[in-house]
């Protein structure tokens, strides 16, 4: 892949830790909290053709509706036999014979000193800073926010993230899942939903140009713009818990992969939405199969 290959997954649910937290931490020095993908990836290739959707450029393959799904951000492993779609970190390889979604942390930098040094060295002007010049950091994950506040900066960031998206396509993924679409909510008012939508449009265009479908990750506030942005399907965390499943189902006609992290929420999602959405139960750390604490169920 193009660019620095630090891991891009955080090995756990974002939404569960962010619930009820609205403040943003402003730091002059970026913290060392790092995460990495674990496990040895399979040497396999993708498969599974699906129906096509017109993107900007060649048509792209959208995922099948209500396909059994596995969320493997904590490390790649052989999916259960019934699984037809898998999301993996961009540093992992696709799973053979499945519809493969490439996770990319697109609106925030990764935590840890290595990532911080790379951005400070290569693109210091693309990190969001407050009026005193301090980097604005997502306090839950210690991830510096990327500055999508102007057309020029969005274009520059689209080149950086676009290289990662190109890497996803080159490695054989079918789609991309750009995370932290809602970073503007943690920007202390420095970013807006309009900024996020404008940057997402650039990522959608690049994804379609590379032959990849693109998922909307969470963020119901932008559901009414999903067609204008160019999103093809959705990946949601805890739509049952937050009473968001109906909104995503209606927007994407069932092409929604929902991940729940509590059994009671999973059971409720299966009762109400199991025939219309793809609902998966995972442990909060999305551990690989065989590791202590691993949980996987699908309805």
């Amino acid at each position: 892949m193009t660019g620095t290959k630090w891991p891009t997954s955080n090995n756990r649910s974002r939404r569960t830790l962010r619930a009820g937290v609205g403040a943003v931490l402003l730091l002059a020095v970026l913290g060392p909290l790092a995460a990495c993908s674990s496990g040895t990836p399979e040497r396999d290739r993708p498969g599974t053709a699906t129906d096509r959707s017109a993107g900007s450029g060649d048509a792209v393959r959208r995922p099948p509706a209500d396909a059994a799904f596995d969320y493997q951000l904590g490390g790649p492993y052989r999916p259960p036999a019934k699984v037809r779609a898998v999301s993996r970190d961009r540093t992992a390889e696709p799973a053979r014979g499945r519809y493969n979604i490439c996770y990319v942390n697109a609106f925030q930098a990764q935590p840890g000193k290595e990532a911080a040094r790379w951005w400070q060295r290569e693109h210091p002007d693309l990190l969001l800073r407050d009026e005193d010049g301090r980097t604005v950091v997502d306090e839950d994950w210690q991830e510096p926010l990327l500055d999508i506040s102007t057309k020029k900066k969005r274009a520059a960031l689209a080149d950086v993230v676009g290289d990662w998206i190109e890497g996803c396509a080159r490695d054989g993924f079918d789609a991309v899942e750009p995370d932290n679409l809602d970073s503007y909510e943690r920007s202390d008012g420095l970013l807006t939903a309009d900024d996020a939508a404008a940057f997402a449009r650039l990522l959608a265009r690049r994804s379609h140009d590379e032959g990849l479908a693109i998922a909307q990750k969470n963020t119901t506030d932008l559901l009414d713009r999903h067609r204008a942005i160019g999103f093809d399907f959705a990946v949601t965390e805890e739509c049952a818990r937050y009473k968001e499943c109906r909104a995503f189902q209606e927007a994407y006609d069932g092409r929604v992969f929902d991940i729940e992290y509590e059994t009671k929420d999973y059971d409720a999602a299966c009762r109400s939405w199991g025939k219309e959405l793809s609902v998966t139960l995972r442990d909060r750390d999305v551990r690989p199969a065989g590791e202590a604490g691993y949980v996987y169920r699908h309805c």
Side-chain angles (χ1 to χ4, degrees):
M1 295 184 184
T2 304
T4 302
K5 292 180 66 175
W6 60 77
T8 55
S9 70
N10 286 300
N11 300 345
R12 65 194 68 190
S13 158
R14 292 177 175 277
R15 279 289 293 275
T16 50
L17 288 186
R18 284 181 179 148
V21 180
V24 174
L25 182 64
L26 300 176
L27 299 178
V29 179
L30 303 179
L33 177 61
C36 60
S37 297
S38 58
T40 303
E42 307 162 52
R43 304 298 300 183
D44 46 28
R45 305 303 300 166
T48 323
T50 63
D51 67 319
R52 294 181 177 270
S53 170
S56 57
D58 295 335
V60 300
R61 290 179 295 172
R62 295 189 298 169
D66 198 27
F69 174 68
D70 195 0
Y71 209 41
Q72 296 191 1
L73 301 192
Y77 54 89
R78 188 172 299 280
K82 66 180 180 180
V83 166
R84 292 293 173 264
V86 177
S87 184
R88 287 179 172 177
D89 186 82
R90 70 180 179 90
T91 60
E93 292 200 8
R96 179 171 50 194
R98 274 76 172 186
Y99 186 91
N100 285 273
I101 304 166
C102 186
Y103 173 93
V104 175
N105 196 354
F107 289 74
Q108 297 182 180
Q110 280 300 94
K113 292 181 178 179
E114 181 182 357
R117 281 194 294 264
W118 187 85
W119 282 99
Q120 293 284 14
R121 182 180 68 251
E122 301 292 336
H123 305 286
D125 57 321
L126 299 182
L127 293 171
L128 185 66
R129 301 178 188 276
D130 68 359
E131 60 183 9
D132 296 320
R134 295 177 299 177
T135 305
V136 180
V137 177
D138 176 349
E139 66 177 3
D140 288 331
W141 292 96
Q142 296 300 295
E143 293 181 355
L145 273 64
L146 302 180
D147 190 350
I148 57 172
S149 63
T150 69
K151 183 176 181 180
K152 182 177 180 180
K153 290 187 176 184
R154 288 192 293 268
L157 282 167
D159 286 340
V160 176
V161 179
D163 283 345
W164 302 342
I165 291 172
E166 180 183 351
C168 294
R170 186 167 57 248
D171 286 350
F173 285 89
D174 300 290
V176 63
E177 173 196 344
D179 202 8
N180 288 308
L181 177 63
D182 60 349
S183 67
Y184 62 91
E185 296 180 354
R186 298 178 291 280
S187 71
D188 201 27
L190 297 173
L191 302 175
T192 68
D194 288 342
D195 296 330
F199 185 52
R201 279 195 293 273
L202 296 180
L203 299 183
R205 186 178 307 148
R206 180 63 180 268
S207 298
H208 290 157
D209 286 347
E210 296 294 341
L212 300 176
I214 183 170
Q216 175 173 347
K217 180 70 172 289
N218 300 321
T219 323
T220 54
D221 288 348
L222 293 178
L223 269 178
D224 61 344
R225 310 192 203 187
H226 77 279
R227 287 191 178 88
I229 290 171
F231 289 130
D232 301 296
F233 65 102
V235 175
T236 67
E237 290 177 288
E238 301 186 289
C239 78
R241 179 176 182 179
Y242 295 102
K243 307 294 190 292
E244 297 171 344
C245 295
R246 182 179 300 279
F248 278 102
Q249 191 279 334
E250 291 176 351
Y252 288 101
D253 195 24
R255 295 183 192 278
V256 178
F257 296 115
D258 176 53
I259 307 99
E260 300 291 334
Y261 299 103
E262 297 288 343
T263 301
K264 61 182 177 62
D265 298 324
Y266 168 77
D267 290 341
C270 289
R271 285 194 302 270
S272 300
W273 299 102
K275 294 181 179 180
E276 299 180 71
L277 308 179
S278 178
V279 181
T280 300
L281 176 68
R282 290 291 277 118
D283 55 280
R284 293 182 185 276
D285 291 334
V286 287
R287 297 177 176 92
E291 189 172 294
Y294 165 82
V295 173
Y296 176 83
R297 288 169 62 189
H298 183 272
C299 65

